Amino acid sequence: MSGPETVASAPPTMDDHTADGSGSLLYDIVYDIISSPVNLALVGIISFLLYKISKSRQPPATLPPPPPELPRLRRDFTVAELKHYDGTQPDGRVLVAVNGNVYDVTKGKTFYGPGGPYAVFGGRDASRGLATFQITSMGSDEYDDLSDLNSHEMESMREWEMQFKEKYYLVGRLLKPGEKPTNYSDEDEDTPTDSSDVRKRTAATKVPDAGAPSAQEAEKSAASKVDDGDAGPEADKPKAE
């Protein structure tokens, strides 16, 4: 009868010693780091420096070029013509009419262009909406004479108009039905429209009276009198007619 079989365990190999040694070394390193606040701070500093170095080596992000600036527009519009300038056309220009004047609000396209909070005003007469604080819809597409607005609403609309004048270019007028557009030209833009400006320019360029001597002629006349001996107390007395 044979006795119980005994299974002899295999002797440890070199690989087992190596594995145990590397694991123990890694554990010691991690333990030394987390057990010392100074080591933790050094690890944080080194990690931050490595991040900055890797970040500086990355190519800078290229921003898209800004859209080209549109040429100035100077003309009058009917309500139907204004509707074509809501920002959805190829050039992306946005026009808004306020109190009979049309303004180019393209630089405020994020507000008045497609998708903006005031996109309903793009290519439209915004007078009534600004006066009544209703921006959900613009109502009729016909010309709005605003005759039914009360004084408070008209004042509110004029305050908005002042802001448009300060921020945006004036393009022209919103034409009433049957009204003829203005023929704008370079000469018209350079001509002052205020009568006070015209008077100032006229006064600045006024030709002196031909009968009145100039300052230089008066000095020469006085000098010649001194040389001729006419000057003196008697010369200042008025002569009888």
Side-chain angles (χ1 to χ4, degrees):
M1 183 174 179
S2 61
E5 296 181 355
T6 59
V7 178
S9 59
T13 62
M14 183 63 66
D15 295 337
D16 295 336
H17 287 292
T18 304
D20 293 342
S22 60
S24 177
L25 179 61
L26 181 61
Y27 173 80
D28 292 340
I29 293 174
V30 173
Y31 179 78
D32 290 340
I33 292 175
I34 63 177
S35 62
S36 174
V38 177
N39 291 338
L40 286 175
L42 291 175
V43 171
I45 294 173
I46 293 173
S47 301
F48 176 75
L49 292 176
L50 291 176
Y51 169 76
K52 295 293 288 184
I53 292 173
S54 62
K55 193 74 174 178
S56 62
R57 292 181 178 179
Q58 294 179 0
T62 56
L63 298 177
E69 185 176 356
L70 297 176
R72 289 285 300 273
L73 189 63
R74 187 67 168 145
R75 54 165 292 193
D76 297 337
F77 290 86
T78 63
V79 175
E81 292 171 340
L82 187 64
K83 289 178 62 177
H84 298 292
Y85 293 87
D86 59 354
T88 60
Q89 70 278 13
D91 63 354
R93 191 188 296 270
V94 183
L95 302 181
V96 174
V98 181
N99 197 20
N101 293 319
V102 179
Y103 297 91
D104 189 337
V105 300
T106 306
K107 65 179 182 179
K109 193 175 182 179
T110 54
F111 296 98
Y112 302 100
Y118 304 108
V120 68
F121 293 153
R124 308 294 291 271
D125 181 6
S127 303
R128 181 174 295 274
L130 296 174
T132 59
F133 299 100
Q134 296 178 1
I135 61 175
T136 55
S137 64
M138 294 304 298
S140 175
D141 291 337
E142 302 297 328
Y143 180 84
D144 190 357
D145 60 4
L146 310 174
S147 58
D148 60 330
L149 295 181
N150 57 41
S151 59
H152 177 72
E153 292 170 339
M154 290 295 294
E155 182 64 24
S156 176
M157 181 193 61
R158 292 190 184 97
E159 291 178 358
W160 276 101
E161 184 185 14
M162 292 301 298
Q163 297 185 30
F164 274 76
K165 286 182 178 180
E166 293 176 357
K167 293 182 180 180
Y168 304 113
Y169 292 126
L170 175 63
V171 176
R173 296 180 300 116
L174 184 64
L175 299 174
K176 301 177 181 179
E179 187 178 6
K180 298 297 183 180
T182 303
N183 184 18
Y184 296 101
S185 62
D186 295 337
E187 291 78 14
D188 295 334
E189 293 179 359
D190 294 336
T191 302
T193 57
D194 190 355
S195 59
S196 61
D197 293 340
V198 176
R199 289 195 298 268
K200 290 179 181 179
R201 292 193 178 186
T202 304
T205 58
K206 186 177 181 181
V207 179
D209 188 359
S214 63
Q216 295 180 353
E217 292 175 348
E219 291 179 359
K220 292 180 180 180
S221 177
S224 62
K225 289 182 178 181
V226 173
D227 295 337
D228 296 338
D230 294 337
E234 298 295 329
D236 297 332
K237 295 180 180 181
K239 297 180 181 180
E241 294 293 330

